[in-house]
Amino acid sequence: MKNILLLFLSFSFASVTFCADTLRVTPMHQPKMELFSLAEVRLLDGEFKHIMDLTHNYLLTLDPDRMASWFRREAGLVPKAKPYPFWESEDVWGKGPLAGHIMGFYLSSMSMMYQSTGDTAIISKLKYTLNELKACQDAQGDGYLLAVINGRHVFEDVVAGKFTTSNPLINDSWEPVYIMNKIMLGLYGVYTQCKLPVAKDIFLQMADWFGDSVLNKLSHEQIQKLLVCEHGSINENYINAYELTQDKKYLEWAKKLNDEDMWVPLAQGKDILDGWHANTQIPKFTGFENVYNYTGEKKYTDAARFFWKTVVNKHTWANGGNSTGEHFFPESEFEKRVIWPGGAESCNSVNMLRLTELLYKDYAEPEKIDYYERVLYNHILANYDPERAMTVYFTSMRPGHYKVYGTEYNSFWCCTGTGFENPAKFGQMIYSHDNNSLYVNLFIPSRVNWQEKGVSLTQITRFPDEETAVYTVNVKQPVSFSLKIRHPHWVNVANLVVRVNGKIYKTNSTAGGFAEIKRVWKTGDKVTVELPGKVVVSPLVASNKFVSVTYGPLVLAAQIENHGLTKEDFFSERQTVAAKEIPLSEVAAFAGDSAAMVAGIIKQKGASLAFTTTAAVTGTPVTLMPFNRIHYNRYALYFRHYDNAAAYHLEQQKVKRFEEMMPAIEEATTDAVVPGDKESEEQHGFTAVNSSTGVMGKSKWRNASNGGYFMYNAKLSSSPTQSLYLLFYKNTRGNKSFDVLVDGKLLKTIDQSQLNKEGTEEFYSEIIHLPASLLTGKDHITIKFQGRGKNATAGLMDLRIVVQ
């Protein structure tokens, strides 16, 4: 009877095909390119394999019982272990924990790592983990499975229409649909890549519960309201369910889960991204593209393709990452935001790579590989510390700043999760194929097995330290196909040299395309490709005040003296933004036009890729190296740029004058407060609301935000002419309009945006005369700094009473 039913299905649905033990729906839109499974690609020794191996070992140390702890609690079962800390179990920012999100990342990473390594220890871990999740799901009886605290009650309120949404909350619950999305993606990966049927069972029961118990009971408007809160690519989950079952209810649910705030304007070619939370939006477009593939509705792929181009062309830093403070911003703000301590978020780039993989499969556009390579080398690979493979949350673009890596068992935030996903799939885009051609997309030591053709290709390269790649063919029997090796946009047409078995082979390739070698291949055939790069100096988006340097696909950066940082400063259990800034004046800058700067960057001889600059270009010569190799060190990925050396020296003279005036200020000082110093502040009666501190070079600073204030009690002298000396850190984050008050009387209002150009790039001082009316009969005064309205104050670095 079962065989008859299957035969009937095969005749009834033209779009149904068989794959392993699973009946799959063939997409309506057929991809133009196929990626190899991770099981068909093996990384060979090199930087990528090193990080993958560290991550592989780390994954096996994670405890499934700790990750399942909240799942068991919510299911009414006794936990077997305490949950992991921070986002997994603690009240973060008053929003509760994001309990369960790491389980989803873990499942996805483990399934991909199994494909990439074949390690059966992974299967044993996954079987145990799935049994735990199944027990939690079975205990609840209806398919519900979440670790969200009181998650059922959240969705009961949603169904009753008693809910509000924001980003990141549904009522008071932190992103429950996002957590569901991550778990379902992980389960789908475990089933399709590790062939563990219980994962499919759990996955489909989750899909049915959310569809039947929530989506079917909400109106279109209510679902759109629900989607305001970050939800990952929940629409993709339902496409996956449709693909596995051919049940069209999943396709209908997938379409309901398309956020109209995003796909509608982007499908119309409108860039509305400024101000939106970046990582909330990126996964949605992977979902839209999946919906397009299984519905054929072009509006969804139009949205995904326009979104990709918009992010890449208008919202992306030199390293391929995007956003600051997790949000997209206008091109005009790059100059202001480049010096912020927090930069591109790691999760954004991981999710942009997922979208890029899907769009490359669908449209086979080489520009997708160009972008993928840029992000992979300069953001993703640069994220991992080389000793433990722990990852960075925010990568600062600020010259002279540094990276902070999480820790193995105490830093469970979202970038920890995507951080252990990506190394498991480093092999994903190195190769691809169509019916007749094998494509080499990336220059990474590896081996690919093209099973349909009986072909194995090994790539040996020390790129980028050496500019050659050697490909050796192994075939079961002589076979004809085209080997297409990417001709990157960063290699001039005349400079790409291809040799087949030692002889020059003319390919007529162009930069941005592929060099094609078509022949009957035999075992032992060798292809050698020379890939000479070129130095390019590029201005910051919408500004010529900062520049970055690339060589080939590599962003080059300089190591900067650490200014007191120790190795411990580069790791943090809870801190995602490096806090100890140094002045820009401490970092080398570039001067001159583009041609002069390129001419002043000289490639060094040696085993590792490195360059030196001439003094004419950077004032002080510096060594440039791939950014992804700078760890436990301050760095400059962007450099300040001056039109000529004279302009640079003028700025340095301002810094010098600033320093030279301090002895006179100190001599005139009768009392001084050191903002941010506990002892000094206590001695001066410190009190504050909404105030915080930071570090700039060797000095601390204090500010107040959101209309807050801070104040000190300072000692006066007997002189009739006294003034306040104030030194501020002129950072560009947020509006800085604030009042300086003495004993409650307004002394001066300072609007940072209206300051003149005196001082240095980042500091300015004020000497404000104290009227006699504020001094008479007093030996102390209280000085208060208060933001106007919801404004912040600037960062106060020095406060003195001086005699004039």
Side-chain angles (χ1 to χ4, degrees):
M1 182 66 183
K2 181 179 179 182
N3 290 339
I4 293 173
L5 178 60
L6 290 177
L7 182 63
F8 171 75
L9 286 171
S10 69
F11 281 109
S12 298
F13 299 98
S15 62
V16 173
T17 58
F18 292 99
C19 179
D21 63 340
T22 304
L23 204 60
R24 292 179 180 269
V25 179
T26 301
M28 293 183 67
H29 171 76
Q30 289 299 304
K32 294 184 178 180
M33 187 69 69
E34 293 292 340
L35 300 181
F36 288 94
S37 75
L38 292 171
E40 295 173 298
V41 179
R42 286 292 179 264
L43 296 185
L44 302 179
D45 287 346
E47 293 169 299
F48 287 98
K49 187 174 187 298
H50 173 67
I51 297 301
M52 186 187 80
D53 288 344
L54 289 175
T55 305
H56 178 189
N57 293 333
Y58 167 61
L59 284 169
L60 293 175
T61 71
L62 293 176
D63 184 355
D65 285 331
R66 296 194 72 178
M67 287 182 282
S69 183
W70 277 112
F71 288 91
R72 291 185 67 87
R73 294 182 196 204
E74 288 301 302
L77 304 175
V78 176
K80 296 181 179 180
K82 293 182 179 179
Y84 281 114
F86 205 30
W87 284 18
E88 272 295 294
S89 59
E90 300 172 22
D91 188 5
V92 182
W93 307 312
K95 300 170 184 174
L98 197 64
H101 79 300
I102 287 296
M103 175 65 82
F105 290 121
Y106 173 78
L107 294 172
S108 293
S109 183
M110 287 284 273
S111 63
M112 291 187 290
M113 193 64 80
Y114 172 68
Q115 286 261 309
S116 293
T117 66
D119 183 4
T120 56
I122 292 173
I123 296 297
S124 298
K125 281 262 191 178
L126 284 174
K127 285 180 177 178
Y128 179 84
T129 305
L130 290 175
N131 287 338
E132 286 298 301
L133 293 176
K134 188 70 167 65
C136 294
Q137 191 177 56
D138 288 347
Q140 299 181 84
D142 61 355
Y144 177 85
L145 179 68
L146 276 179
V148 176
I149 298 173
N150 293 323
R152 277 188 177 276
H153 297 306
V154 174
F155 287 108
E156 287 170 0
D157 287 342
V158 168
V159 169
K162 298 184 295 185
F163 72 102
T164 59
T165 48
S166 64
N167 202 11
L169 300 177
I170 299 175
N171 288 347
D172 293 321
S173 182
W174 190 7
E175 299 174 357
V177 181
Y178 168 89
I179 299 170
M180 185 185 306
N181 166 242
K182 297 305 173 186
I183 296 167
M184 292 173 73
L185 285 175
L187 291 166
Y188 175 78
V190 170
Y191 174 62
T192 56
Q193 298 188 73
C194 302
K195 308 304 178 190
L196 298 178
V198 68
K200 177 184 177 183
D201 184 35
I202 300 170
F203 170 76
L204 291 177
Q205 286 194 56
M206 287 184 71
D208 286 341
W209 177 84
F210 189 58
D212 289 326
S213 301
V214 179
L215 297 179
N216 282 350
K217 297 180 179 180
L218 299 178
S219 67
H220 172 77
E221 291 73 22
Q222 287 175 315
I223 292 175
Q224 291 299 308
K225 178 181 175 183
L226 188 69
L227 295 177
V228 168
C229 182
E230 185 170 3
H231 54 269
S233 59
I234 190 69
N235 43 5
E236 178 183 8
N237 296 139
Y238 281 90
I239 291 298
N240 291 340
Y242 175 59
E243 177 196 14
L244 293 179
T245 66
Q246 299 80 52
D247 191 331
K248 290 190 175 180
K249 69 180 181 182
Y250 297 114
L251 187 60
E252 293 306 310
W253 282 330
K255 290 193 288 186
K256 287 183 177 182
L257 290 166
N258 290 328
D259 179 14
E260 293 176 351
D261 283 344
M262 279 294 119
W263 78 256
V264 171
L266 274 295
Q268 296 170 351
K270 298 177 182 177
D271 175 11
I272 48 86
L273 297 180
D274 292 347
W276 286 86
H277 186 264
N279 196 47
T280 296
Q281 315 316 321
I282 297 167
K284 296 176 185 177
F285 290 86
T286 301
F288 299 154
E289 187 68 13
N290 273 289
V291 172
Y292 160 67
N293 281 335
Y294 284 87
T295 65
E297 295 184 60
K298 188 172 176 291
K299 58 190 179 184
Y300 297 123
T301 191
D302 288 345
R305 297 179 78 184
F306 182 76
F307 174 82
W308 186 93
K309 286 183 178 294
T310 302
V311 172
V312 172
N313 295 331
K314 296 178 64 176
H315 296 279
T316 295
W317 298 102
N319 73 331
N322 60 71
S323 78
T324 56
E326 302 191 3
H327 288 73
F328 292 124
F329 56 86
E331 292 173 280
S332 60
E333 291 191 12
F334 270 90
E335 182 181 307
K336 178 172 72 174
R337 291 176 182 249
V338 72
I339 63 172
W340 288 18
E345 182 186 0
S346 299
C347 282
N348 297 12
S349 287
V350 173
N351 284 318
M352 279 298 292
L353 291 188
R354 288 191 80 235
L355 176 59
T356 304
E357 290 161 8
L358 186 55
L359 291 173
Y360 179 64
K361 285 175 60 179
D362 284 350
Y363 296 102
E365 296 164 331
E367 66 176 357
K368 301 300 187 292
I369 304 294
D370 292 336
Y371 170 76
Y372 198 97
E373 180 180 55
R374 175 184 177 189
V375 180
L376 190 66
Y377 275 100
N378 301 305
H379 195 189
I380 301 299
L381 186 60
N383 264 359
Y384 295 91
D385 86 87
E387 296 176 2
R388 295 184 282 180
M390 293 297 100
T391 54
V392 175
Y393 196 124
F394 292 114
T395 299
S396 178
M397 303 295 123
R398 179 184 173 85
H401 216 44
Y402 59 103
K403 295 179 277 192
V404 174
Y405 307 93
T407 60
E408 292 100 315
Y409 308 112
N410 293 287
S411 303
F412 286 94
W413 46 59
C414 56
C415 293
T416 303
T418 54
F420 55 64
E421 273 190 352
N422 227 79
K425 52 175 256 186
F426 277 159
Q428 185 70 82
M429 284 279 276
I430 301 175
Y431 306 98
S432 58
H433 69 92
D434 56 26
N435 291 336
N436 302 304
S437 302
L438 171 59
Y439 292 79
V440 177
N441 299 321
L442 300 172
F443 308 109
I444 296 173
S446 54
R447 180 178 296 113
V448 62
N449 182 21
W450 192 7
Q451 296 180 14
E452 294 89 339
K453 293 284 188 181
V455 173
S456 174
L457 182 75
T458 300
Q459 178 176 190
I460 302 296
T461 180
R462 289 191 64 248
F463 179 84
D465 298 315
E466 293 179 358
E467 298 177 329
T468 59
V470 179
Y471 304 91
T472 303
V473 176
N474 188 288
V475 295
K476 294 180 179 179
Q477 59 186 18
V479 59
S480 175
F481 67 90
S482 288
L483 178 62
K484 295 184 177 180
I485 300 173
R486 178 166 154 260
H487 184 158
H489 71 93
W490 40 265
V491 176
N492 291 336
V493 172
N495 291 345
L496 186 84
V497 178
V498 178
R499 289 181 173 85
V500 178
N501 295 329
K503 296 181 180 180
I504 295 286
Y505 188 94
K506 188 169 179 60
T507 66
N508 296 318
S509 63
T510 58
F514 287 85
E516 181 178 10
I517 309 159
K518 186 174 183 179
R519 58 185 276 128
V520 176
W521 297 90
K522 304 183 297 297
T523 291
D525 283 342
K526 272 189 171 29
V527 177
T528 302
V529 179
E530 296 178 13
L531 300 158
K534 54 188 174 185
V535 173
V536 176
V537 177
S538 302
L540 178 67
V541 177
S543 171
N544 66 355
K545 292 185 179 179
F546 292 86
V547 296
S548 61
V549 184
T550 55
Y551 184 76
L554 281 300
V555 174
L556 302 180
Q559 291 189 155
I560 306 300
E561 200 274 316
N562 269 335
H563 291 264
L565 294 180
T566 65
K567 193 168 182 179
E568 288 70 30
D569 288 309
F570 297 98
F571 290 91
S572 177
E573 294 182 353
R574 309 299 170 87
Q575 184 178 334
T576 59
V577 179
K580 298 179 179 180
E581 300 173 56
I582 62 172
L584 294 179
S585 58
E586 300 284 341
V587 183
F590 275 65
D593 60 24
S594 179
M597 288 186 287
V598 169
I601 300 172
I602 313 300
K603 189 177 182 182
Q604 295 180 340
K605 293 181 180 179
S608 299
L609 184 67
F611 298 78
T612 54
T613 65
T614 63
V617 170
T618 53
T620 301
V622 297
T623 298
L624 300 176
M625 66 181 70
F627 174 60
N628 60 42
R629 293 178 179 172
I630 297 179
H631 300 281
Y632 322 129
N633 223 105
R634 293 187 185 273
Y635 58 81
L637 183 158
Y638 278 101
F639 298 85
R640 290 167 304 146
H641 173 244
Y642 297 90
D643 291 338
N644 49 56
Y648 168 69
H649 290 303
L650 178 63
E651 184 63 35
Q652 294 301 106
Q653 289 169 11
K654 285 185 179 182
V655 174
K656 187 176 180 180
R657 286 199 301 272
F658 218 67
E659 294 170 348
E660 289 174 344
M661 66 182 283
M662 283 312 299
I665 295 293
E666 289 172 355
E667 186 176 347
T669 297
T670 60
D671 194 15
V673 180
V674 182
D677 180 81
K678 183 178 180 181
E679 183 178 355
S680 177
E681 290 189 325
E682 286 179 351
Q683 291 174 353
H684 290 87
F686 166 74
T687 188
V689 172
N690 294 342
S691 181
S692 59
T693 63
V695 177
M696 167 55 71
K698 297 178 181 179
S699 302
K700 294 181 179 179
W701 51 262
R702 176 173 291 284
N703 77 342
S705 58
N706 196 31
Y709 63 83
F710 59 96
M711 56 191 192
Y712 304 104
N713 192 250
K715 184 179 179 180
L716 295 171
S717 74
S718 58
S719 172
T721 55
Q722 300 179 66
S723 298
L724 286 184
Y725 169 79
L726 307 173
L727 175 64
F728 292 103
Y729 166 41
K730 186 172 29 175
N731 72 59
T732 60
R733 299 184 292 280
N735 296 318
K736 305 286 191 308
S737 178
F738 58 98
D739 293 333
V740 181
L741 302 102
V742 173
D743 290 336
K745 302 288 195 304
L746 179 64
L747 183 65
K748 184 170 185 176
T749 296
I750 300 175
D751 184 343
Q752 184 173 287
S753 67
Q754 302 301 315
L755 291 174
N756 60 32
K757 300 301 181 182
E758 292 303 314
T760 70
E761 290 173 298
E762 295 189 284
F763 305 106
Y764 65 93
S765 61
E766 291 270 356
I767 297 179
I768 310 174
H769 176 66
L770 291 168
S773 60
L774 295 177
L775 303 178
T776 303
K778 299 178 183 178
D779 57 7
H780 285 77
I781 57 173
T782 297
I783 306 150
K784 182 179 184 180
F785 302 86
Q786 172 140 27
R788 294 179 65 84
K790 295 295 184 180
N791 275 263
T793 71
L796 180 67
M797 301 181 71
D798 196 0
L799 184 159
R800 298 169 183 265
I801 304 290
V802 295
V803 175
Q804 288 182 298

